[in-house]
Amino acid sequence: MTSRSVPIDAAHQVRWLFLDLNSYFASCEQQMNPRLRGKPIAVVPMKTDSTCVIAASYEAKRFGIKTGTLVGEARRMCPGLILIEGEHEHYIRFHHEIIEAVGKVLPVDSVLSVDEMAFKLLGTERKVERASQLAQELKRAIEQNVGECLTSSIGLAPNRYLAKVASDMQKPNGLTVITLADLPHKLLSLKLRDFPGIGAKMEHRLMRRGIISTPSLLQKSREELREIWGGVGGERFHDWLRGEETYEQETKRHSISHSHVLAPEFRNWEGSWKVLQKLVIKAAYRLRRDELWAKRVEVFARFAGEKREKKGWGGGDWSAGMGEFETQDTFTFLELAKTLFATCPRDQGMPVQVGVILGNLVADGFHTPSFFEDPRRLGVSRSVDRLNAKFGSGTVYFGSQHQARVEGEKSEKAAPLRIAFSRIPELDENF
């Protein structure tokens, strides 16, 4: 590998490489089962017509089948379609094998999802010729060390966001380069929905403001996009489209956490779980408010008695974590926290402190939706946020909080609002 420190001409350089594995779940299935190769397959949560396709092989995509297509409709579109029930364990195993393979070619800067990763280029790696060479080496490393069916599309660009955009411009097995000198003309032919972060609702919001195409989007000022987005997300989006590197400065935060020393009446397993639930709900709310997504949940506990060696992210006597896919959903976090907390050893006495950490954070513009998550549940969490913002904190709350709330004064003892040295919480977190 070349030296990683030589400065080069900024206008004709790339600073990021973004790798997106093509039809990842379907490709994993074809890699595991050679009889599926070259055939139209769809990965589904279950083999019923009322469910949706979560991944389709390129052979199936030629029939118009795509992620979100109802299984019954997909069968009609392609009578020979083969349905495969997806299993997370296989895809995660391949994921780790891929990370190991590409890491021998180029250090991975960030793993953004089970099928996406980004690499920061330095020195002469930023020259387009060298960056393109590295891209081909990454493709070969996956093919030779993991499997020939696992192809990828790679984008090279001045910032990570545009590198992701570029990776979507040529599929499958593509390589697209965008330099500062290519802007904005290389983006003009893209549709609004081609940009990560612009979904159906945002597209509708943009169109109400007269923004119907990429050229009209690029004409808007930083202030106008901030107003449309309703926050710094619009400013960030404006800068990204112009090749500016703003992500690192604005997302130094790696986790969101809450912990609480338990009042005496909560120093039992039932009471500590009540408090932990409230902490999880607070952390999930902050995550959505700050336009972030978490890929990992960790819970921890400290126990009474002699001081023990601190372990885990939370520095507790005990901690456990899990997670792979990005989410903002309170229900998902509560389910994961409950599963984790159930593994807490019961032989160390009663907990005196509990806490939760939402980690491996991803900015909204880089979020990749999980095929295994029900978007309606996240909609409920966001609706609760909006109602409390309009009518006052605590107007609407999750059923798991009810017992603690009706205990009156104990509700505040369960997990009151705290001001830490490292962070001053917003008033709307006191619910």
Side-chain angles (χ1 to χ4, degrees), residues 144-365:
Q144 294 171 5
N145 295 287
V146 186
E148 60 187 286
C149 295
L150 296 162
T151 63
S152 62
S153 291
I154 293 178
L156 301 170
N159 60 38
R160 200 173 80 178
Y161 181 83
L162 285 180
K164 177 176 173 64
V165 171
S167 72
D168 287 329
M169 292 174 70
Q170 186 181 348
K171 287 190 173 183
N173 206 24
L175 173 59
T176 302
V177 180
I178 299 175
T179 66
L180 289 171
D182 293 325
L183 299 174
H185 64 271
K186 205 156 189 176
L187 305 178
L188 298 180
S189 61
L190 298 179
K191 300 176 182 178
L192 293 176
R193 294 283 292 275
D194 290 333
F195 294 101
I198 299 183
K201 292 182 179 178
M202 179 56 71
E203 182 183 40
H204 182 64
R205 189 186 305 179
L206 291 170
M207 289 184 169
R208 288 205 313 265
R209 299 292 294 269
I211 301 173
I212 59 174
S213 64
T214 297
S216 58
L217 175 65
L218 290 168
Q219 290 173 4
K220 296 299 180 182
S221 68
R222 207 166 183 262
E223 292 72 23
E224 288 173 310
L225 291 189
R226 179 186 176 94
E227 180 187 353
I228 293 171
W229 255 258
V232 296
E235 295 182 355
R236 192 164 53 223
F237 191 81
H238 175 276
D239 296 342
W240 284 340
L241 294 184
R242 286 152 182 80
E244 296 181 26
E245 186 78 88
T246 63
Y247 177 80
E248 289 186 321
Q249 290 80 22
E250 296 183 4
T251 58
K252 290 182 179 178
R253 187 188 310 166
H254 298 292
S255 65
I256 287 176
S257 63
H258 280 286
S259 65
H260 184 65
V261 176
L262 301 171
E265 59 266 38
F266 287 95
R267 294 184 180 183
N268 53 68
W269 294 110
E270 182 182 358
S272 57
W273 170 238
K274 290 178 187 177
V275 174
L276 185 57
Q277 287 181 90
K278 188 169 182 180
L279 297 176
V280 170
I281 292 166
K282 283 185 176 183
Y285 166 73
R286 284 179 55 202
L287 193 77
R288 293 188 295 271
R289 186 196 62 197
D290 296 346
E291 299 180 321
L292 297 169
W293 300 73
K295 297 170 68 175
R296 178 178 171 84
V297 178
E298 179 163 342
V299 297
F300 63 91
R302 294 192 179 98
F303 302 94
E306 296 182 4
K307 186 176 181 180
R308 301 177 176 87
E309 180 184 356
K310 294 183 177 180
K311 302 176 181 179
W313 289 359
D317 297 325
W318 168 86
S319 66
M322 65 190 300
E324 281 288 340
F325 301 105
E326 303 160 18
T327 186
Q328 292 179 328
D329 174 43
T330 297
F331 294 104
T332 299
F333 292 133
L334 286 170
E335 290 168 358
L336 292 174
K338 184 175 183 180
T339 299
L340 292 168
F341 197 58
T343 69
C344 185
R346 294 323 200 235
D347 59 355
Q348 299 190 53
M350 292 299 174
V352 296
Q353 182 178 10
V354 292
V356 61
I357 302 169
L358 305 183
N360 293 358
L361 303 187
V362 176
D364 191 61

Side-chain angles (χ1 to χ4, degrees), residues 107-180:
V108 179
D109 180 84
S110 48
V111 176
L112 301 166
S113 70
V114 73
D115 62 346
E116 293 182 324
M117 58 206 73
F119 305 78
K120 191 169 186 177
L121 304 175
L122 301 174
T124 55
E125 294 167 351
R126 294 181 174 182
K127 292 181 178 180
V128 170
E129 181 180 359
R130 176 58 180 151
S132 300
Q133 187 179 54
L134 286 169
Q136 296 299 341
E137 290 179 19
L138 291 171
K139 288 172 179 282
R140 283 196 296 272
I142 296 172
E143 178 184 356
Q144 294 171 5
N145 295 287
V146 186
E148 60 187 286
C149 295
L150 296 162
T151 63
S152 62
S153 291
I154 293 178
L156 301 170
N159 60 38
R160 200 173 80 178
Y161 181 83
L162 285 180
K164 177 176 173 64
V165 171
S167 72
D168 287 329
M169 292 174 70
Q170 186 181 348
K171 287 190 173 183
N173 206 24
L175 173 59
T176 302
V177 180
I178 299 175
T179 66
L180 289 171

